[in-house]
Amino acid sequence: MKNVESKLHQKLNTFADWVIRITLINILMVICSLPILTIYPAFVAGYKLFNDYANKNEKPIIKTFFKYFIEDFSIKMQLGLMLALAIGVAIFNLTIYADIAALDPSPINTIGTYVMIIMVATVVFVLIYTLPLMITYPKTNLWLMMKFAFFLSGKYIFRTVLAVLIALIPVALMLTPITMLLFIFVGLSTPVVLYALLFKPVVKFIEELDRENA
């Protein structure tokens, strides 16, 4: 009976630890994302810290988060701005083609709309897979990193589809006043912790690739 109580107590402590981590890291991510331009570095910091925890590498939350936030900051800012610009341009072009196709549904306009949808999806795929790359190859040439991220999105296509669905969690939480309150506490950290768990094989593949080329 004591063994059962001990295991239950241990599981409750583990659950409580993860609740605290998810909530506190979410607040830190929200604070660091307030300047808007720093959203990507905040996401990378949260992802790297959750990756540590997923691999049972215990570290202090606040100190480690800010350490990860500022390291390679200029590289993360450049990559984040490039991807944000690419997504913005792709979405802008998509809306234009969609409006044109609505007025003139010719094959060319319809094809153009689908091409823009593919472009938006491609940038999103690349954005998601830069997370595991930023914690393994942070100083890689940015163009090479984006190409490698695109390769990974194809190699792990099922994880990619799941990752896109996970990315919709913050959007879903913004739909009602009640869930908006949840967004403050878990809206950003929830998809990031799920990515840390989902991409463990991806990180392992990248690290093994690095050892093979060493």
Side-chain angles (χ1 to χ4, degrees):
M1 187 65 180
K2 289 183 178 180
N3 289 334
V4 174
E5 290 179 354
S6 177
K7 289 181 180 179
L8 178 60
H9 188 262
Q10 186 178 7
K11 289 182 179 180
L12 288 174
N13 282 338
T14 301
F15 176 77
D17 286 343
W18 275 100
V19 170
I20 293 171
R21 290 167 181 169
I22 291 172
T23 303
L24 184 53
I25 292 175
N26 189 85
I27 294 172
L28 292 172
M29 290 175 66
V30 170
I31 293 173
C32 291
S33 296
L34 289 178
I36 306 299
L37 294 177
T38 55
I39 290 177
Y40 185 75
F43 266 78
V44 174
Y47 172 79
K48 188 171 183 178
L49 189 51
F50 277 128
N51 183 72
D52 287 339
Y53 292 140
N55 289 289
K56 298 181 179 180
N57 186 4
E58 301 296 324
K59 293 186 176 180
I61 296 177
I62 297 177
K63 179 181 178 180
T64 308
F65 179 89
F66 283 109
K67 174 188 174 184
Y68 289 163
F69 179 71
I70 62 175
E71 67 182 8
D72 301 311
F73 187 77
S74 61
I75 296 174
K76 289 183 287 192
M77 283 293 294
Q78 291 177 52
L79 182 58
L81 291 174
M82 287 172 61
L83 292 170
L85 179 62
I87 291 176
V89 170
I91 292 176
F92 178 73
N93 288 335
L94 175 61
T95 56
I96 291 176
Y97 272 100
D99 291 339
I100 294 174
L103 296 173
D104 179 19
S106 65
I108 293 179
N109 291 334
T110 302
I111 292 172
T113 302
Y114 284 116
V115 169
M116 289 301 108
I117 291 174
I118 293 172
M119 284 185 62
V120 172
T122 300
V123 177
V124 171
F125 294 166
V126 169
L127 172 61
I128 292 172
Y129 278 93
T130 58
L131 292 175
L133 286 170
M134 277 302 304
I135 69 171
T136 50
Y137 291 119
K139 293 180 171 59
T140 303
N141 175 274
L142 295 183
W143 177 239
L144 180 61
M145 182 182 293
M146 287 189 286
K147 289 194 293 184
F148 194 19
F150 181 69
F151 162 76
L152 291 173
S153 71
K155 176 178 175 61
Y156 297 96
I157 185 63
F158 294 111
R159 292 179 187 274
T160 302
V161 173
L162 186 55
V164 172
L165 295 176
I166 290 172
L168 298 177
I169 292 176
V171 178
L173 292 177
M174 295 293 287
L175 295 179
T176 68
I178 296 177
T179 53
M180 283 182 68
L181 184 61
L182 284 174
F183 177 87
I184 297 174
F185 295 100
V186 300
L188 296 181
S189 59
T190 298
V192 175
V193 68
L194 291 176
Y195 285 153
L197 298 172
L198 182 67
F199 291 153
K200 285 183 71 174
V202 179
V203 173
K204 184 177 179 181
F205 169 76
I206 297 170
E207 290 174 343
E208 288 178 351
L209 192 64
D210 183 41
R211 284 193 288 269
E212 289 176 1
N213 293 329

